[in-house]
């Protein structure tokens, strides 16, 4: 179908965000898996704009680098001096001289905005053939925001900033959300007439509305159904409040698709995560980045998963994982640490105080307690005893260890890589293995044990140990006396 309207999106992201008190530009602060700017670009994505311009200024290099990563199709345009939102849009449009049709302008700090709402604003605007349409909302607390001023017939008269408002205008609770649709030609004409004659000495984009009204152009107000979507972010307290609101929205979405979230107030799921039906997410759990949780998996309590894939029916308890894969029905934790490229096959077990990095743990294999597994391939059904260390680093290079199918590694063993323990082989507890163990063999490197009789009585006299040993010696002697003669 041919596109009926040419569309340009201009995102305003040049401001410093002074009240964030941060070295990071405000629009780059993260909020459940995307930056503020990333959220805004996502909300605008379904418009399928011919061009997306992002006006950058403060921290321009950082913002440009971020755009190259998350929205390479967007064009960053520099506003060297922040002379106001009107000035910013003018600079943005200078970089899009052929922009015709609809120009959608979005403040870069409105991250809860939904794509549906932007689409509805644009539809209303284009449907009415308006020169300009502003997204408005009734809010409980309009402090600091621009107010929508209507005439007695309810038509938009102007948008007035709080600092320039009369007391009567300040009492209005209908605010400008900072999201607009404009007819490109009429926007350009009005931008040329903006003045900086206001309390901040800036060119206000919002003054475009008053200018268009004076010129007899049709302008419109589109009221957002949910004012929460229009909340901006000016400091870290507001950012935390937005994060809670987004958390609730995300959790509610997953619960409605059939995911159990036992304590939504302590469950933080990035917008980029996917969770399958009948998964159970227990309290104090964070699912971040590209994490995917399979059907009927149980995750939590006290789990953080970053870019980690959890297979169907797996369980993860009180653990931390980054860049790992956990197979179907596998079990992790409590207190496990899975690092990048840790791959657990189906029904594998990685238990308590176990760290796994760049290793495959085969189907049904077990690493239950107190181990480090680095750069290893562990075969199916192998059993790795408590306190086994895969010694992968010689101070210069990393080396791999292979443990074959159904091999058995005794407790407190060091496997000094590169080394291979064959299928079905055993390694005796307490060994330091630096040579391959053939399939089915027992590898043992322990020194034979010797007992030095009476050592404690001679070398530790008067200690509790010596007393206990003496009591045991007497008891044994009495038992021997009482024993019936054979
Ligand atoms: C703006 C609106 C206000 C609205 C509010 C909604 C104006 C004059 N006022 O006020 O009516 O209620 O948003 O949140 O537009 N920016 C630039 N270059 C500049 C100035 C700002 O790119 O020279 C960017 C900022 O980075 C920010 C956005 O524009 O993303 C809005 O600027 P901000 O200073 O936050 O405007 P508000 O005072 O919040
Ligand atoms: Mg703002």
């Amino acid at each position: 179908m041919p596109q009926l309207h040419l569309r340009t999106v201009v995102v305003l992201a040049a401001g410093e965000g002074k009240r964030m008190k941060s070295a990071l530009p405000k629009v780059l602060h993260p909020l459940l898996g995307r930056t503020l700017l990333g959220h805004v670009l996502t909300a605008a994505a379904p418009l399928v704009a011919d061009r997306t311009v992002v006006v950058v200024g403060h921290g321009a290099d950082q913002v440009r680098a971020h755009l190259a990563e998350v929205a390479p199709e967007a064009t960053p345009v520099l506003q060297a001096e922040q002379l106001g939102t009107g000035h910013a849009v003018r600079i943005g449009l200078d970089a899009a001289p052929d922009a015709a049709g609809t120009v959608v302008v979005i403040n870069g700090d409105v991250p809860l905005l939904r794509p549906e709402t932007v689409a509805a604003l644009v539809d209303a605007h284009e449907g009415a053939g308006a020169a300009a349409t502003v997204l408005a909302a009734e809010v409980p607390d309009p402090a600091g925001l621009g107010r929508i001023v209507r005439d007695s017939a309810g038509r938009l008269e102007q948008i007035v900033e709080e600092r320039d408002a009369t007391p009567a205008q300040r009492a209005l609770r209908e605010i400008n959300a900072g999201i607009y649709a404009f007819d490109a030609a009429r926007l350009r004409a009005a931008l040329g007439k903006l003045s900086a004659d206001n309390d901040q000495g800036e060119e206000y984009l919002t003054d475009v509305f008053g200018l268009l009204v004076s010129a007899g152009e049709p302008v419109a107000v589109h009221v957002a159904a949910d004012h929460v979507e229009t909340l901006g972010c000016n400091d870290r307290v507001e950012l935390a409040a937005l994060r809670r609101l987004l958390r609730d929205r995300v959790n509610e979405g997953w619960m409605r698709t059939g995911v159990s979230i036992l304590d939504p107030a302590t469950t933080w799921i990035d917008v980029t995560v996917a969770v399958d039906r009948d998964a159970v997410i227990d309290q104090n759990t964070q699912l971040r980045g590209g994490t995917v949780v399979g059907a009927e998996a149980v995750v939590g309590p006290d789990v953080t998963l970053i870019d980690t894939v959890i297979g169907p029916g797996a369980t993860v308890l009180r653990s931390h994982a980054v860049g790992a894969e956990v197979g179907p029905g596998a079990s992790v934790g409590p207190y496990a640490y899975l690092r990048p490229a840790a791959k657990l096959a189906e029904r594998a077990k990685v238990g308590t105080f176990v760290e796994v990095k760049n290793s495959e743990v085969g189907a049904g294999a077990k690493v239950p307690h107190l181990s480090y597994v680095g750069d290893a391939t562990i075969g199916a059904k192998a059993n790795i005893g408590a306190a086994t260390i895969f010694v992968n680093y010689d101070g210069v290079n990393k080396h791999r260890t292979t443990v074959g199918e159904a091999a058995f590694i005794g407790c407190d063993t060091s496997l000094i890589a590169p080394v291979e323990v064959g299928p079905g082989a055993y390694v005796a507890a307490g060994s330091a293995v630096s040579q391959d163990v053939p399939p089915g063999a027992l590898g043992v490197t322990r020194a034979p044990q010797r007992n030095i009789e009476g050592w404690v009585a001679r070398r530790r006299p008067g200690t509790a140990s010596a007393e206990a040993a003496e009591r045991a010696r007497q008891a044994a002697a009495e038992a021997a006396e009482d024993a019936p003669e054979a």
Side-chain angles (χ1 to χ4, degrees), residues 432-454:
V433 176
S434 54
Q435 290 167 37
D436 293 352
V437 181
L442 169 70
V444 49
T445 71
R446 288 196 308 244
Q449 181 173 338
R450 75 193 166 111
N451 295 335
I452 302 171
E453 293 295 339

Side-chain angles (χ1 to χ4, degrees), residues 29-44:
H29 278 259
L31 182 69
L32 291 184
R34 288 197 185 104
T35 59
L36 301 184
L37 178 57
H39 282 290
V40 166
L41 289 167
T42 304

Side-chain angles (χ1 to χ4, degrees), residues 47 114-126 133 135 222-223:
L47 295 178
R114 288 180 203 259
E116 301 88 303
T117 304
V118 186
L121 167 76
V122 172
D123 282 350
H125 170 80
E126 290 174 351
T133 306
L135 185 71
H222 182 78
V223 181

Side-chain angles (χ1 to χ4, degrees), residues 64 82 89 98 105 124 132 138 170 191 197 203 208 236 269 284 315 372 378 410 428 435 441 482:
R64 275 199 203 96
Q82 282 67 60
V89 172
D98 53 348
V105 177
E138 275 290 334
R170 268 181 218 190
L191 285 173
D197 181 18
E203 289 180 36
V208 163
R236 297 192 202 225
I269 303 179
N284 284 328
T315 59
Y372 173 63
I378 297 175
Q435 290 167 37
D482 294 349

